[in-house]
């Protein structure tokens, strides 16, 4: 009884200041899930606070409780932590994929050695050594391709140009061209905020076996120096990465081992690794940690964030986006994955005054809706007949079972003008005991404009999507990829892909999230190779061929995986090389260098919501452009590929890499959703 009275008092005392709290905190207070005045928070130990001066701060609730924050006149908005998820590959050559059909001749006018693969057909040529899918040629030649249907011909060489290739139906760049540079990222730190790292993997060790990792810290407070990591290596106690995601990401960004072909051009970078629990407050702590370390070291840094979430305004004003923007600056650059939901129905838009958005709920979902400033809506969640609904008028909330269903709906419709951006927000939680089809009914009460909604959890919208014109859905880039000062990276198809995805070769990967942001900015900024990559395996056994690229779950040193998680670190490696020569470059300088020199050989006109400004490639200066290449092509996208994959291994593993890969990605998605 006493606890109920305390909670009732707290709820009443906060009632006049609901606008200070985000909808998640509001519900926690309303339900009495946390003893606000007693400071006994079961799940939330930190919150994000927007100060009146526009700064974002992470506040520990062990030092100050919510009631004190609510009374603090400098705190204008308080937000609960949001759980993000990992975004589930590296060719540095000037690599191309040729699309073709049937029997064709492809002339290669490149007077140096080159190699390649053929998928969907066979190839023969003079001056070439052939081994199943793989062929290697000593100089210019004519490749005779035989195929019953579509084929894809991958060609790899350090400086091959599009004009060196004649024949086939189309050709696309799939490499970053970074191998032509002498820059190796020396004197630059690559920061990794991810699932951890395996210290013992050869990709992160010097020639003498010592580590290239300067510092490691995790969300529990464990911290290791370079010397301590070297001791861990000597003891063989190395794998601080249960997921393997962080190890894979780090190897693309800056991994190097002389025994393998799967190396980053930024082979001389040092690493600082922060293992996160994936709450955005902890990701922010990881960024803080890395920045403080590099400031003490007086070294420039580029940080990789291959993670994200969808429950925010998607306009750069979320507290996570603001925080990343605040930390970014001269010599401290943040690169973010766009997301892997470009083909998923996670976004829905209503442009008319009234309408229905249909949704499928398997078990539990959250829906975050944002609408134009000055508008207001009546929000209802109904069964399929729309005769039975739970609804909330503007300024109200609702929490009830939907009659005729096993579903409960919580609707918070009280944010008519958010402290973040002045727009309205509606937040919903829907829980169903059985998979159910429901209807979200929106009725505009006042104002004009549109409603955008994003869903997260075990469900998806059935209509209301915005077609991007490239086979995917717009408004699917996740936060912090929507931040203004970050470099956001999408993915293109770059190596072995099943024939069902042949249209991804050299083009945007079907899963790569598409822009724009809700406020109309182009995202992603660039694209790079991400479908597939050969990445360091945190669970390697140490007794396999260093050039073997196995499936996930194997004990090989390297495994084939795909996603924008693995296209972002491709761009990280380019940025690290750039910072070697320009250590004080700020985010806009680096972004302008990338987008002004991006290579475009795709359909459509850049910039656009699928490819941004094009494929990220290496150029020596921001003013250098390859006129001959620009004129010889007709369009472009992102920049990396697994072009150095072992030829024999590609044949062995191509038939069964896809199934375990999809299982792995689904497992990660379910775990971190």
């Amino acid at each position: 009884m006493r606890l109920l009275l305390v909670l009732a008092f707290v709820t009443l005392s906060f009632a006049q200041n609901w606008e200070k709290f985000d909808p998640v905190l509001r519900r926690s207070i309303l339900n009495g899930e946390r003893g606000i005045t007693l400071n006994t928070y079961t799940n939330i130990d930190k919150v994000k606070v927007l100060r009146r001066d526009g700064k974002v701060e992470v506040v520990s609730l062990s030092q100050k409780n919510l009631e004190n924050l609510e009374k603090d006149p400098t705190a204008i908005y308080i937000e609960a932590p949001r759980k993000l998820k990992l975004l589930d590959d590296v060719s540095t050559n000037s690599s191309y994929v040729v699309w073709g059909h049937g029997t064709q001749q492809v002339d290669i006018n490149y007077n140096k050695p080159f190699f390649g693969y053929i998928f969907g057909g066979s190839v023969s040529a003079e001056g070439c050594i052939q081994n199943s899918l793989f062929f290697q040629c000593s100089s210019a030649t004519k490749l005779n391709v035989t195929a019953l249907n579509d084929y894809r011909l991958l060609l790899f060489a350090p400086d091959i140009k599009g004009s060196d290739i004649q024949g086939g139906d189309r050709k696309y760049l799939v490499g970053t061209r970074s191998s032509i540079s002498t820059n190796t990222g020396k004197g630059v730190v690559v920061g990794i905020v991810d699932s951890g790292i395996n210290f013992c993997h050869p990709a992160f060790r010097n020639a003498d076996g010592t580590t290239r990792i300067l510092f490691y810290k995790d969300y529990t407070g464990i911290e290791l120096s370079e010397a301590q990591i070297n001791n861990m290596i000597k003891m063989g106690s190395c794998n601080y990465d249960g997921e393997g995601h962080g190890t894979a990401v780090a190897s693309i960004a800056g991994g190097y081992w002389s025994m393998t072909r799967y190396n980053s051009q930024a082979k001389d970078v040092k690493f600082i690794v922060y293992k996160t629990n994936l709450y955005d407050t902890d990701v922010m702590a990881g960024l803080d940690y890395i920045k403080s370390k590099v400031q003490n070291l007086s070294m420039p840094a580029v940080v990789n964030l291959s993670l994200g979430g969808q429950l925010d305004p998607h306009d750069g004003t979320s507290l996570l986006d603001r925080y990343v923007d605040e930390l970014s600056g001269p010599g401290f650059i943040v690169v973010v994955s766009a997301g892997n939901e470009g083909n998923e129905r996670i976004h829905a838009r209503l442009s008319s005054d009234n309408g229905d958005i249909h949704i499928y709920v398997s078990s539990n979902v959250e829906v975050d809706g944002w609408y134009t400033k000055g508008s207001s809506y009546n929000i209802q969640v109904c069964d399929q007949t729309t005769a039975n609904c739970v609804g909330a008028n503007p300024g109200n909330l609702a929490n009830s079972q939907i009659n005729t269903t096993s579903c409960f709906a919580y609707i918070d419709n009280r944010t008519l003008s958010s402290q973040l951006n002045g727009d309205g927000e509606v937040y919903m939680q829907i829980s169903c005991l059985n998979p159910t089809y429901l209807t979200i009914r929106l009725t505009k009460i006042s104002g004009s404009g549109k409603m955008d909604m994003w869903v997260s959890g075990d469900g998806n919208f059935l209509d209301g999507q915005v077609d991007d014109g490239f086979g995917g859905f717009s408004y699917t880039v996740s936060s912090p990829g929507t931040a203004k000062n970050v470099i956001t990276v999408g993915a293109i198809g770059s190596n072995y892909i099943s024939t069902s995805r042949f249209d991804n070769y050299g083009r945007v990967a079907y899963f790569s999230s598409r822009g724009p942001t809700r406020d109309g900015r182009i995202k992603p900024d660039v694209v790079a190779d991400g479908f597939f990559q050969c990445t360091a395996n945190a669970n390697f056994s140490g007794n396999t061929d260093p050039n073997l690229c196995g499936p996930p779950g194997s004990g090989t040193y390297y495994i084939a995986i795909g996603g924008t998680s693995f296209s972002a670190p491709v761009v990280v490696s380019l940025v690290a090389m750039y910072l070697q020569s320009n250590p004080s470059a700020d985010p806009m300088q680096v972004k302008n260098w990338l987008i002004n020199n991006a290579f475009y050989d795709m359909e459509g006109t850049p910039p656009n919501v699928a490819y941004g400004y094009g494929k990220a490639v290496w150029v020596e200066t921001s003013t250098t452009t390859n006129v001959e290449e620009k004129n010889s092509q007709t369009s472009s996208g992102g920049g990396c590929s697994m072009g150095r994959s072992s030829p024999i291994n590609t044949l062995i593993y191509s038939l069964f890499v896809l199934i375990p890969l999809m299982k792995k990605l689904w497992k990660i998605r379910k775990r971190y959703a």
Side-chain angles (χ1 to χ4, degrees):
M1 182 67 181
R2 181 180 178 184
L3 177 61
L4 290 175
L5 289 173
V6 169
L7 293 173
F9 170 77
V10 169
T11 301
L12 288 172
S13 66
F14 285 1
Q16 302 303 315
N17 289 290
W18 285 116
E19 71 279 0
K20 263 202 171 186
F21 299 96
D22 82 311
V24 176
L25 279 177
R26 292 176 192 168
R27 188 174 192 194
S28 297
I29 295 168
L30 181 69
N31 289 353
E33 294 175 3
R34 293 156 185 88
I36 304 301
T37 58
L38 302 178
N39 253 355
T40 56
Y41 303 94
T42 58
N43 293 317
I44 299 177
D45 60 349
K46 297 175 183 175
V47 292
K48 295 158 288 179
V49 177
L50 177 63
R51 297 294 183 181
R52 193 167 297 281
D53 62 2
K55 299 294 184 181
V56 178
E57 180 184 351
V58 177
V59 175
S60 171
L61 295 183
S62 64
Q63 304 297 322
K64 179 177 285 191
N65 63 35
L66 287 180
E67 193 170 6
N68 289 336
L69 280 174
E70 182 268 338
K71 295 176 180 177
D72 186 344
T74 70
I76 64 173
Y77 186 69
I78 308 165
E79 189 175 85
R82 299 281 176 91
K83 192 68 177 282
L84 307 178
K85 60 181 178 180
L86 301 174
L87 305 175
D88 300 312
D89 212 68
V90 176
S91 171
T92 59
N93 290 319
S94 179
S95 312
Y96 277 85
V97 58
V98 177
W99 290 28
H101 183 92
T103 299
Q104 294 180 323
Q105 178 176 293
V106 179
D107 295 344
I108 309 299
N109 301 310
Y110 180 75
N111 294 310
K112 300 177 186 178
F114 67 92
F115 68 95
Y117 303 93
I118 179 71
F119 299 111
S122 61
V123 64
S124 62
E126 293 184 7
C128 300
I129 300 172
Q130 302 168 55
N131 187 339
S132 187
L133 301 179
F134 175 75
F135 60 90
Q136 186 169 355
C137 305
S138 59
S139 187
T141 190
K142 299 180 185 297
L143 300 176
N144 299 302
V145 180
T146 302
L148 295 177
N149 297 297
D150 290 338
Y151 71 84
R152 299 292 183 261
L153 183 68
L154 275 75
L155 303 168
F156 304 104
D159 56 353
I160 193 170
K161 301 180 178 64
S163 56
D164 294 332
I165 306 167
Q166 303 297 324
D169 298 333
R170 285 179 280 175
K171 56 181 177 285
Y172 300 113
L173 179 72
V174 291
T176 63
R177 298 174 171 168
S178 61
S179 62
I180 65 174
S181 175
T182 58
N183 282 25
T184 58
K186 189 173 184 178
V188 178
V189 168
V190 166
I192 304 292
V193 180
D194 213 287
S195 63
I197 197 166
N198 186 324
F199 306 136
C200 280
H201 198 287
F204 313 118
R205 296 166 69 178
N206 297 307
D208 62 1
T210 57
T211 188
R212 294 168 56 204
I213 302 168
L214 301 178
F215 296 98
Y216 168 89
K217 187 177 182 180
D218 74 9
Y219 58 91
T220 69
I222 293 174
E223 184 174 8
L224 299 172
S225 66
E226 182 179 4
Q228 290 170 316
I229 293 170
N230 281 326
N231 286 334
M232 291 293 187
I233 292 174
K234 291 177 182 178
M235 293 186 296
S237 178
C238 295
N239 194 356
Y240 282 60
D241 187 4
E243 279 295 338
H245 192 273
T247 299
V249 164
S251 73
I252 299 170
Y256 180 80
W257 182 24
S258 62
M259 299 296 291
T260 187
R261 61 170 57 89
Y262 309 124
N263 289 319
S264 167
Q265 180 65 20
K267 62 182 181 180
D268 288 326
V269 299
K270 300 295 184 180
F271 294 94
I272 296 177
V273 180
Y274 184 89
K275 180 175 181 176
T276 176
N277 61 13
L278 290 179
Y279 281 102
D280 56 2
T281 47
D282 191 60
V283 170
M284 293 153 78
L287 288 168
D288 266 337
Y289 175 75
I290 294 170
K291 186 162 186 177
S292 67
K293 290 297 184 185
V294 296
Q295 285 178 332
N296 290 336
L297 294 167
S298 297
M299 295 175 70
V302 52
V303 182
N304 187 89
L305 296 179
S306 288
L307 42 76
Q310 295 289 354
L311 299 180
D312 65 48
H314 287 73
D315 60 2
T317 66
S318 76
L319 296 192
L320 176 59
D321 285 7
R322 289 171 183 250
Y323 198 79
V324 176
D325 282 344
E326 287 175 13
L327 286 183
S328 300
F332 194 80
I333 312 300
V334 180
V335 177
V336 185
S337 296
N340 295 340
E341 295 161 311
N343 65 319
E344 298 185 21
R345 298 177 183 272
I346 62 163
H347 168 263
R349 166 172 285 184
L350 180 71
S351 298
S352 59
D353 286 349
N354 307 301
D356 294 341
I357 299 294
H358 299 90
I359 186 172
Y360 169 75
V361 180
S362 176
S363 55
N364 301 289
V365 299
E366 292 177 273
V367 177
D368 198 23
W370 291 83
Y371 55 88
T372 309
K373 181 178 182 180
S375 301
S376 63
Y377 290 82
N378 171 266
I379 311 292
Q380 294 177 293
V381 180
C382 309
D383 64 8
Q384 283 187 286
T385 69
T386 67
N388 300 283
C389 304
V390 173
N393 283 315
N396 292 282
L397 61 82
N399 187 16
S400 180
Q401 182 175 0
I402 304 168
N403 290 338
T404 74
T405 75
S406 63
C407 301
F408 291 79
Y410 172 86
I411 307 171
D412 188 335
N413 195 14
R414 292 177 290 181
T415 308
L416 304 182
S417 179
S418 172
Q419 296 287 349
L420 294 177
N421 52 21
D423 290 342
E425 178 188 14
V426 57
Y427 174 78
M428 291 172 267
Q429 292 181 0
I430 306 171
S431 301
C432 298
L433 298 179
N434 301 301
T436 307
Y437 291 92
L438 299 170
T439 300
I440 299 176
R441 173 155 288 182
L442 306 170
T443 305
K444 186 173 289 183
I445 304 300
S446 64
S448 61
K450 51 187 173 287
M451 168 79 78
D452 287 285
M453 296 186 294
W454 286 268
V455 61
S456 180
D458 298 322
N460 57 267
F461 296 118
L462 302 176
D463 47 28
Q465 286 68 58
V466 179
D467 192 295
D468 75 333
F470 296 89
F473 299 126
S474 292
Y475 300 98
T476 51
V477 170
S478 58
S479 172
T482 49
K484 297 175 181 178
N485 291 340
V486 304
I487 296 164
T488 307
V489 186
I492 61 170
S494 55
N495 210 285
Y496 179 78
I497 304 171
S498 67
T499 54
S500 66
R501 294 294 180 186
F502 257 18
D503 61 344
N504 282 197
Y505 267 116
R507 301 177 68 247
V508 64
Y510 72 95
F511 55 77
S512 184
S513 287
R514 323 297 168 89
T517 59
R518 195 171 71 91
D519 58 327
R521 288 174 290 118
I522 288 293
K523 289 287 180 176
D525 297 298
V526 290
V527 290
D529 300 0
F531 186 35
F532 289 91
Q533 288 275 20
C534 235
T535 67
N537 180 10
N539 299 303
F540 70 95
S541 64
N543 58 0
T544 59
D545 181 353
N547 287 312
L548 189 64
C549 187
S554 67
T556 54
Y557 281 104
Y558 295 87
I559 53 175
I561 47 183
T564 58
S565 274
F566 312 109
S567 58
V570 173
V571 174
V572 166
S573 69
L574 294 177
V575 174
M577 294 165 62
Y578 182 82
L579 288 175
Q580 179 180 342
S581 301
N582 305 273
S584 298
D586 64 31
M588 288 311 300
Q589 286 175 277
V590 176
K591 185 180 293 189
N592 287 337
W593 171 72
L594 282 167
I595 67 178
N596 288 339
N597 295 286
F599 188 83
Y600 203 93
D601 59 357
M602 299 308 309
E603 72 275 21
T605 303
N608 57 57
V609 300
Y611 297 97
Y613 288 82
K615 299 176 181 177
V617 295
W618 173 260
V619 291
E620 294 298 334
T621 70
S622 61
T623 58
T624 302
T625 55
N626 192 326
V627 177
E628 185 262 339
E629 281 290 89
K630 292 281 186 179
N631 292 339
S632 68
Q633 303 296 322
T634 57
S635 76
S636 161
C640 164
S641 116
M642 209 176 79
R644 293 165 293 169
S645 300
S646 167
I648 296 176
N649 299 332
T650 303
L651 174 63
I652 294 173
Y653 287 104
S654 62
L655 297 178
F656 62 88
V657 158
L658 290 175
I659 293 176
L661 170 62
M662 292 302 113
K663 289 181 178 179
K664 177 70 172 176
L665 292 177
W666 180 250
K667 179 181 177 182
I668 291 175
R669 173 189 171 91
K670 294 289 286 182
R671 181 169 181 176
Y672 290 100

